[in-house]
Amino acid sequence: MTDRFPPTRTAALEKLSSFVPKAARDYAAHRNYDRGPGQHDAVSTLSPYIRHRLLTEPEVIEAVLGRYALSSAEKFVQEVFWRTYWKGWLEMRPAVWGGYQRGLANTWDQVQTQSGLCAEWEAACRGETDIECFNQWAHELVSTGYLHNHARMWFASIWIFTLRLPWELGADFFLRHLYDGDPASNTLSWRWVAGVQTQGKNYAARASNISKYTEGRFSPLYQLASNPEPLDGPPHPPRMEAPTGDRLDPSKPSVLLLHEDDLSPGWLFEQGLTPLATATLDASGQISPLHVSPRVKTFKSALINDCTARWSTSPGAVTSGLTTAQEIEDWAKASGAEQIVTSYAPVGPAATVINDIRALPVVRPLRDFDRRAWPNATAGFFKFKKKIPELVGVMKGLELV
């Protein structure tokens, strides 16, 4: 596992502390530059920790705003809220995740039956195309579990419009290899590049842009599709109400289920939760119909182990690595619980498993940060962005850990 992302909260806090002095002017000026593997010092590289809430969004934002005014660190704070925006947008339109999964299943069937498509997909995944920058990004992703955000956009555009591969296969490739792979931000970002998220508006990678922001490392002149048309896609499903979460009654005999979407359970203990026992959910089998990178599995497992070690005096006996609703039900019953308590899991692999639990009530409290922010993701990010100062203003006292 790369030393760039030690899987502990201690390492995450050290990385946050090192980044805070650079979170204002330096970040705004240099954040778009992809300088290559091991050279991403202009950005925070906190996303693998924030994605799993080893660090929470409020504590990251408060650390930065403890040094800078919001106006000075606006660009960075907005980037933290992008992930929140995507989650809120998908929570109110969960059918989009189901549509992606169906599309992925269909394209995977095509890969297995069309030798030409299979060869092209394999070449792209292995970084064996005729486009050097694309190949290097594929290798970096697979070997480190990380890519600079600008490189992700270029990569997705080349995948879709130059290599003409299905966007669902590209989104799946990222989810299988990214340490910070997030169902909402990954799926919706790929949809945005393709032109089916903001319908009729796609993102086209340009050789000049790549050359500028890689500082001349790459210059794929005449290799990229020029002026590609956005893909067609179905209209967005009707928007649902944003979730509000469940009320926790800590007096009932409870067990705690930890999952990869929230590895800072202190806020539940502060509400009086004293679980009879705790189990951890391994939802990696729900990420993809294909093999998930061993690096990603190891990283997630290590983060969960770090969480249970940090809270070893609070959760009772810990059962690790449950994978199905049935296993969770059997464990909870054997523990003598009347309810299963778990942090609200947003749309994605963990929620897929948890939603299948039937034998016992599942209580899913929602963090105030999400409850306040998600309902604002009704349209594009520009509208959501206007709410950021208000959302930051009410963050004091929100659950940090």
Side-chain angles (χ1 to χ4, degrees), residues 89-90 93-108 121 159 166-177 181-191 196-197 234 237 286-290 292 347-349 352:
W89 195 98
L90 191 58
R93 304 163 185 86
V96 170
W97 172 252
Y100 155 68
Q101 291 185 305
R102 289 189 297 274
L104 176 59
N106 290 336
T107 55
W108 177 233
W121 168 74
W159 179 288
W167 72 265
E168 294 94 340
L169 290 174
D172 175 72
F173 181 57
F174 271 19
L175 271 185
R176 289 187 290 114
H177 290 282
D182 177 84
S185 57
N186 186 69
T187 304
L188 301 182
S189 294
W190 274 84
R191 282 168 51 89
V196 297
Q197 181 65 21
Q286 300 290 330
I287 292 175
S288 169
L290 307 182
V292 176
V347 172
T352 298

Side-chain angles (χ1 to χ4, degrees), residues 244-266:
T244 57
D246 299 327
R247 186 181 69 85
L248 171 60
D249 180 355
S251 68
K252 291 184 177 181
S254 308
V255 288
L256 172 63
L257 181 65
L258 290 171
H259 55 77
E260 64 180 44
D261 292 298
D262 195 333
L263 295 177
S264 292

Side-chain angles (χ1 to χ4, degrees), residues 2 5 22 49 61 72 76 106 123 134 166-167 200 225 235 243 246 253 283 351:
T2 174
F5 300 102
K22 301 182 287 186
Y49 304 112
I61 293 169
S72 299
F76 176 73
N106 290 336
F134 182 93
W167 72 265
D246 299 327

Side-chain angles (χ1 to χ4, degrees), residues 253-255 276-279 317 319 328-338:
S254 308
V255 288
L276 300 169
T278 295
T319 300
I328 295 168
E329 291 171 356
D330 293 344
W331 157 77
K333 289 178 181 178
S335 301
E338 293 181 10

Side-chain angles (χ1 to χ4, degrees), residues 289-304:
L290 307 182
H291 291 296
V292 176
S293 164
R295 285 179 173 273
V296 169
K297 288 185 175 182
T298 301
F299 184 71
K300 289 179 183 291
S301 177
L303 293 182
I304 291 173

Side-chain angles (χ1 to χ4, degrees), residues 138-161:
H139 295 154
E140 181 180 357
L141 171 62
V142 171
S143 63
T144 71
Y146 183 82
L147 268 187
H148 187 281
N149 187 61
H150 215 156
R152 299 184 197 200
M153 293 164 57
W154 294 323
F155 185 99
S157 181
I158 295 169
W159 179 288
I160 296 167
F161 299 116

Side-chain angles (χ1 to χ4, degrees), residues 130-371:
D130 294 329
I131 304 171
E132 180 187 0
C133 57
F134 182 93
N135 295 343
Q136 292 299 316
W137 293 322
H139 295 154
E140 181 180 357
L141 171 62
V142 171
S143 63
T144 71
Y146 183 82
L147 268 187
H148 187 281
N149 187 61
H150 215 156
R152 299 184 197 200
M153 293 164 57
W154 294 323
F155 185 99
S157 181
I158 295 169
W159 179 288
I160 296 167
F161 299 116
T162 299
L163 302 179
R164 304 186 69 82
L165 291 167
W167 72 265
E168 294 94 340
L169 290 174
D172 175 72
F173 181 57
F174 271 19
L175 271 185
R176 289 187 290 114
H177 290 282
L178 283 170
Y179 285 163
D180 63 8
D182 177 84
S185 57
N186 186 69
T187 304
L188 301 182
S189 294
W190 274 84
R191 282 168 51 89
W192 176 77
V193 171
V196 297
Q197 181 65 21
T198 303
Q199 294 179 325
K201 181 181 179 181
N202 58 336
Y203 174 77
R206 307 290 184 193
S208 58
N209 188 263
I210 292 172
S211 179
K212 175 181 177 180
Y213 288 107
T214 63
E215 297 179 320
R217 285 192 304 124
F218 305 118
S219 185
L221 286 172
Y222 313 116
Q223 292 184 292
L224 310 183
S226 59
N227 301 315
E229 293 294 321
L231 303 185
D232 292 328
H236 298 323
R239 176 166 52 89
M240 302 168 54
E241 291 296 317
T244 57
D246 299 327
R247 186 181 69 85
L248 171 60
D249 180 355
S251 68
K252 291 184 177 181
S254 308
V255 288
L256 172 63
L257 181 65
L258 290 171
H259 55 77
E260 64 180 44
D261 292 298
D262 195 333
L263 295 177
S264 292
W267 69 290
L268 296 174
F269 301 139
E270 289 176 359
Q271 294 183 45
L273 176 65
T274 306
L276 300 169
T278 295
T280 65
L281 170 61
D282 176 3
S284 59
Q286 300 290 330
I287 292 175
S288 169
L290 307 182
H291 291 296
V292 176
S293 164
R295 285 179 173 273
V296 169
K297 288 185 175 182
T298 301
F299 184 71
K300 289 179 183 291
S301 177
L303 293 182
I304 291 173
N305 290 340
D306 177 76
C307 173
T308 56
R310 283 185 291 111
W311 294 99
S312 60
T313 61
S314 301
V318 177
T319 300
S320 298
L322 302 183
T323 60
T324 67
Q326 185 66 59
E327 289 178 356
I328 295 168
E329 291 171 356
D330 293 344
W331 157 77
K333 289 178 181 178
S335 301
E338 293 181 10
Q339 63 182 9
I340 300 168
V341 178
T342 188
S343 300
Y344 186 95
V347 172
T352 298
V353 177
I354 293 169
N355 290 342
D356 282 340
I357 298 173
R358 298 286 185 269
L360 285 174
V362 180
V363 180
R364 289 174 268 203
L366 180 66
R367 287 179 179 265
D368 283 346
F369 179 82
D370 299 328
R371 184 174 54 81

